Amino acid sequence: MASVFKSSAQASMPSSTAAAIYAFPIPSVFTTASNVLTWGYTVLAIVVALLALEQSVYRLKKRHLPGDAWTIPVIGKYADSLKPTMEGYMKQWNAGALSALSVFNIFIVMASSNEYSRKILNSPNHAEPCLVYSAKQIICPDNWVFLTGKQHVEYRKGLNLLFAHKALGYVSIMDATTRKHYNEWLQNGGKAKPIMMRIRELNMITSLRVFCGRHISDAAAKEISDRYWDITCALELVNFPLPLPGTKVYRAIQCRKIALKHLMDAAAASKVAMANGHEPECMLEHWVALLNDPSYKGRKDFSDREMALVVFSFLFASQDAMSSGLTYAFQHLVDNPHMLAKVREEQARVRGADYSAPMMLSMLDDMPYLRAFVKESMRVKPPVVMVPYKATKAFPISEDYTVPAGSMVIPSFYNSLHDPEVFPEPEDLQPERWMDPESSANKNPRNYLVFGSGPHKCIGLEYASMNIELCIALAATMMDWEHVRTSESDRIKIIATLFPADDLVMRFTPRTNA
């Protein structure tokens, strides 16, 4: 029996069967893992090569400029751009007159000196304003602000007439709107409140009334004002590129659509009013009257949409900057009571005892201290500290460095406005420096870059300054002020423009001698 089992155990398998089993490709987890590993190494090698290329390109463009020797892969300085700070800006500016950084593979050259900043602003053949990436999506790519060269110059010629000093007969509109808002402020029972957003609303409603007059309803003006914050929030240096529902850029575009509809209606109504022989009051009516003037030689065929886009660009350019300038003007005055006293003394001299009488342009022209204060306030805290430009071709900005074509090149204004050689004790608020014709401030106008320079210099600089002056003049005589200071009062937050971090908490009460 044992031999039988032994014989069976020793029996061999037919050779043909054995060969078939060994030839059959049995799936193996080890073989699959090996293929995955191979693909993994390949992908990793490609990623490493791309990252190495990214670093090499960055260093090649950067050359000897100050800045990080290596950029963070892919995102670069994106984290810093999400929540910009003055400390971060100062660090970059102090690195050198020119310095480099990268954000999402956008190579950026920062200019901090007056020489290089002005060179960028005055070199339309090498650089053009690009604002921020989302700007064209928000204010439309066919908006006139994106024109360059001769086209831009010709387009701007006609618009300049709308902002000429003699044409700024909108003071009565500004006066009435501002008084209305201040009276509303005084109805809160003397409670301390942050005023930054109130100032934004005041500026927006004032601008809409100045630009559109009676051709825009209170409800439409309020809707634009309430929604405009979405545009401000979308003006980040780097933003999510696709305007998908829920994104900041999407909400900003919806605001623009609403605003354009109301502004197109206002443009159409202005044309009808002028055709019916009305005297022009608002800017749109003055524009239509200018276009109908036989002596006017410029372009005359503006559609309602194009006029609306122009007005929207004025809102876009003025709202945040003007709100920042007025907010800090309030803070600077309330923190310097002797300056507020001088403003009030000047108001008494120019306006007499009747502060209820409407302000006139001739009155504002006769207020040199107020004008000097506003100019100095915007120097110390410039609403806009820099404006992004794009190098349209290789830009030889200095003897030893050329900005690569396609790069972002950003002129910065802060250092020019705080140059101690031009503005001794630059951090101190000294309105008197503008009242002395022989002062270094007045002898170096090249340094006063609050409104930029060159072909794209702010078209509404006189309107913005005048509006801030008028608002301060009325506030000084209508109200008593108290600054409720917080731990954030002296800190700066950057939301497109500069604002006090606590939104400026103020208490206003009616002024008894006004």
Side-chain angles (χ1 to χ4, degrees), residues 426-437:
E427 301 303 323
D428 291 351
L429 194 72
Q430 298 177 16
E432 289 77 11
R433 71 171 92 236
W434 298 106
M435 302 181 75
D436 176 9

Side-chain angles (χ1 to χ4, degrees), residues 246-473:
T247 62
K248 293 180 181 180
V249 175
Y250 175 84
R251 291 195 295 270
I253 291 173
Q254 303 316 302
C255 173
R256 180 252 295 160
K257 290 178 179 178
I258 291 170
L260 278 188
K261 177 183 179 301
H262 293 310
L263 296 176
M264 287 173 65
D265 290 344
S270 296
K271 292 176 181 178
V272 172
M274 292 299 95
N276 290 333
H278 287 277
E279 285 296 315
E281 296 176 359
C282 65
M283 184 176 288
L284 273 174
E285 290 179 342
H286 278 283
W287 191 5
V288 175
L290 176 68
L291 298 178
N292 291 336
D293 186 341
S295 64
Y296 179 64
K297 302 302 181 183
R299 179 187 159 193
K300 298 188 176 187
D301 55 330
F302 288 89
S303 67
D304 294 342
R305 181 180 181 277
E306 191 170 4
M307 295 182 81
L309 277 175
V310 169
V311 172
F312 187 72
S313 73
F314 293 164
L315 292 176
F316 182 85
S318 67
Q319 173 62 10
D320 294 300
M322 204 157 61
S323 296
S324 170
L326 183 53
T327 300
Y328 270 113
F330 270 109
Q331 179 159 315
H332 286 153
L333 262 190
V334 75
D335 288 348
N336 294 275
H338 64 289
M339 296 183 188
L340 179 54
K342 288 184 178 181
V343 168
R344 285 173 170 158
E345 289 169 6
E346 188 173 67
Q347 294 305 300
R349 176 183 64 80
V350 176
R351 298 166 65 190
D354 187 8
Y355 293 124
S356 63
M359 187 79 72
M360 294 186 293
L361 184 60
S362 59
M363 291 180 179
L364 287 172
D365 287 341
D366 196 24
M367 298 176 183
Y369 185 82
L370 176 61
R371 187 161 51 253
F373 167 79
V374 169
K375 190 168 186 177
E376 177 72 350
S377 179
M378 288 195 288
R379 182 196 67 78
V380 173
K381 287 291 190 298
V384 179
V385 294
M386 58 187 181
V387 177
Y389 274 62
K390 181 180 179 180
T392 54
K393 57 185 176 183
F395 183 3
I397 194 169
S398 70
E399 292 182 0
D400 60 354
Y401 187 75
T402 297
V403 179
S407 303
M408 190 177 284
V409 54
I410 303 180
S412 304
F413 306 154
Y414 193 88
N415 284 6
S416 293
L417 294 164
H418 289 76
D419 185 342
E421 293 186 8
V422 178
F423 308 106
E425 300 176 303
E427 301 303 323
D428 291 351
L429 194 72
Q430 298 177 16
E432 289 77 11
R433 71 171 92 236
W434 298 106
M435 302 181 75
D436 176 9
E438 299 302 313
S439 70
S440 57
N442 278 316
K443 285 191 169 184
N444 290 277
R446 293 169 59 87
N447 276 69
Y448 196 77
L449 293 179
V450 169
F451 297 101
S453 177
H456 290 274
K457 186 174 183 178
C458 178
I459 193 172
L461 64 93
E462 282 205 74
Y463 165 67
S465 297
M466 183 184 299
N467 184 63
I468 295 172
E469 291 165 16
L470 181 139
C471 287
I472 291 298

